[in-house]
Amino acid sequence: MSKVAAFYYTQTGQGLKILQSICSPLAKAGYEVVYKEIVPKTAYPFPWSSDAFFQAFPESRQGIPCEIQAIDLSDIADADLVIVEYQSWFLSPSIPVSGFFQDAAIQHYLKGKSVITVNGCRNMWIMAQQKIKFYLAQSGGKLVGNIVLQDHAPNLVSVITVVRWLLYGKQAKSGLFPAAGVSPEDIEHAAVFGQTISDALAAGDFSRLQEKLMQQNAIEYKPSIAFVEKTGHRIFGVLSKWVLRKGAYNAPERNFRLQIFKHYLFFVLYVVSPIGLLLFYIAYPFRCKSIREDKLIQCSV
Ligand SMILES: Cc1cc2nc3c(=O)[nH]c(=O)nc-3n(C[C@H](O)[C@H](O)[C@H](O)COP(=O)(O)O)c2cc1C
């Protein structure tokens, strides 16, 4: 019987729900799905305080890992497929997931394994996935599929609802604001991707898996969001190094710079990015070809 190793890190439970939905057709088809949680040695808070939230910025962006608890790999040594469910933090893989991919035992485990990644985020997944591709290339794991589930609210609306969720624990719809996170309908619908994965596993052929997943809209590529994300990622790169010059995680000396970053972020989001987007849409007709090419690159494995 084929076996699937399903790794996940989640603070809110959303990541596990997504993974379970994707894995349900695999379990129904008789595959043994073994879930393995990624647990940081020191937990990240949920809900977050504002200070703790921004404290995670430099390490997230620079891929500086945290230590994770050892994962028993003995019962999944013979897994035919590995699925990793993760999330973006500051346009990068979350710190525990960076810890996972940089852990020596995990790197050794992933060598030669077929891997599918699943990102459950607000709406920015491109740069995080590029980093995951880099980690997999380092460990010798073979990326055969990628699925992204995201919040469909407009960008500036989901910034508010995600903050309300992550800092105050309020996910539900209230007043004019929609519920935060990936919708329950999208989570349920993710089972269709699991069926496609199950078929590929049965055929022992993952070569066209991503193509088939894309035919089922496993990733929605939004050109305007991709533009904001790539620009933000470059700026975050400079600012995270600037903060790190004042000290490592939780060093009080870096608090002032983190406060500046926090205010800068909201200014950029609500003042600069709408202007940038306007320019992006003006230039859109001249950039169709490069946007099509970028979509192809980012949505492939
Ligand atoms: C510190 C932090 C930073 C985040 N940054 C991003 C981001 O840059 N882009 C994004 O789309 N979502 C971002 N999110 C939302 C997460 O990707 C994720 O959707 C949410 O935290 C719920 O995930 P979980 O329950 O699986 O942990 C961030 C969340 C946290 C906690």
Side-chain angles (χ1 to χ4, degrees):
M1 184 175 58
S2 288
K3 198 183 269 184
V4 178
F7 294 92
Y8 66 96
Y9 172 72
T10 181
Q11 290 196 299
T12 68
Q14 174 179 276
L16 180 57
K17 282 187 199 151
I18 294 170
L19 188 60
Q20 285 171 330
S21 177
I22 291 174
C23 289
S24 58
L26 292 155
K28 271 194 205 121
Y31 296 113
E32 186 187 351
V33 181
V34 184
Y35 290 92
K36 297 280 179 183
E37 185 174 6
I38 299 165
V39 184
K41 281 195 178 163
T42 307
Y44 291 89
F46 178 76
W48 297 70
S49 67
S50 169
D51 286 349
F53 185 84
F54 286 98
Q55 191 64 239
F57 159 61
E59 281 70 20
S60 301
R61 173 59 185 85
Q62 290 302 327
I64 298 170
C66 65
E67 280 190 86
I68 59 163
Q69 288 181 18
I71 301 177
D72 177 13
L73 303 168
S74 60
D75 55 341
I76 49 168
D78 56 345
D80 306 279
L81 177 67
V82 173
I83 305 180
V84 184
E85 209 290 339
Y86 75 103
Q87 53 290 112
S88 308
W89 284 7
F90 296 105
L91 314 180
S92 308
S94 65
I95 301 176
V97 168
S98 286
F100 171 79
F101 280 106
Q102 293 179 62
D103 181 275
I106 297 298
Q107 287 184 329
H108 184 256
Y109 174 75
L110 290 175
K111 192 170 170 31
K113 291 263 192 302
S114 296
V115 180
I116 294 173
T117 47
V118 182
N119 187 341
C121 60
R122 184 174 71 85
N123 61 8
M124 298 194 178
W125 51 272
I126 288 177
M127 302 315 293
Q129 185 63 12
Q130 284 194 7
K131 199 68 189 254
I132 299 284
K133 283 181 179 173
F134 168 78
Y135 289 142
L136 281 173
Q138 268 191 333
S139 62
K142 188 172 175 356
L143 185 65
V144 296
N146 182 34
I147 297 165
V148 178
L149 270 72
Q150 41 189 322
D151 190 328
H152 293 303
N155 189 38
L156 296 184
V157 172
S158 65
V159 167
I160 295 173
T161 56
V162 84
V163 167
R164 196 184 52 169
W165 183 25
L166 298 176
L167 269 57
Y168 305 101
K170 292 179 187 156
Q171 187 182 12
K173 166 181 192 300
S174 73
L176 289 176
F177 289 104
V182 177
S183 72
E185 294 75 24
D186 281 1
I187 294 179
E188 199 182 327
H189 178 260
V192 304
F193 309 133
Q195 186 56 53
T196 305
I197 296 168
S198 178
D199 295 344
L201 199 51
D205 179 11
F206 295 116
S207 60
R208 292 189 55 223
L209 176 63
Q210 185 62 12
E211 193 186 319
K212 290 181 183 159
L213 288 172
M214 285 311 296
Q215 283 162 5
Q216 297 175 308
N217 302 319
I219 306 179
E220 188 188 355
Y221 173 96
K222 300 176 187 164
S224 60
I225 299 290
F227 167 75
V228 173
E229 178 177 354
K230 286 180 188 177
T231 313
H233 188 261
R234 272 196 300 276
I235 299 169
F236 279 17
V238 175
L239 292 178
S240 55
K241 284 185 184 156
W242 177 67
V243 176
L244 280 166
R245 279 206 287 276
K246 283 287 171 189
Y249 193 70
N250 272 338
E253 294 77 15
R254 63 191 214 168
N255 285 352
F256 181 66
R257 291 190 176 187
L258 284 172
Q259 286 299 324
I260 293 180
F261 170 70
K262 174 173 147 180
H263 290 98
Y264 163 84
L265 186 61
F266 284 100
F267 174 74
V268 165
L269 272 168
Y270 285 95
V271 180
V272 181
S273 80
I275 300 168
L277 278 177
L278 185 68
L279 298 176
F280 171 81
Y281 284 120
I282 292 170
Y284 193 91
F286 309 102
R287 298 187 57 189
C288 285
K289 188 165 170 270
S290 68
I291 288 170
R292 260 199 316 276
E293 283 166 359
D294 190 56
K295 178 178 176 182
L296 211 62
I297 294 167
Q298 307 303 346
C299 298
S300 62
V301 291

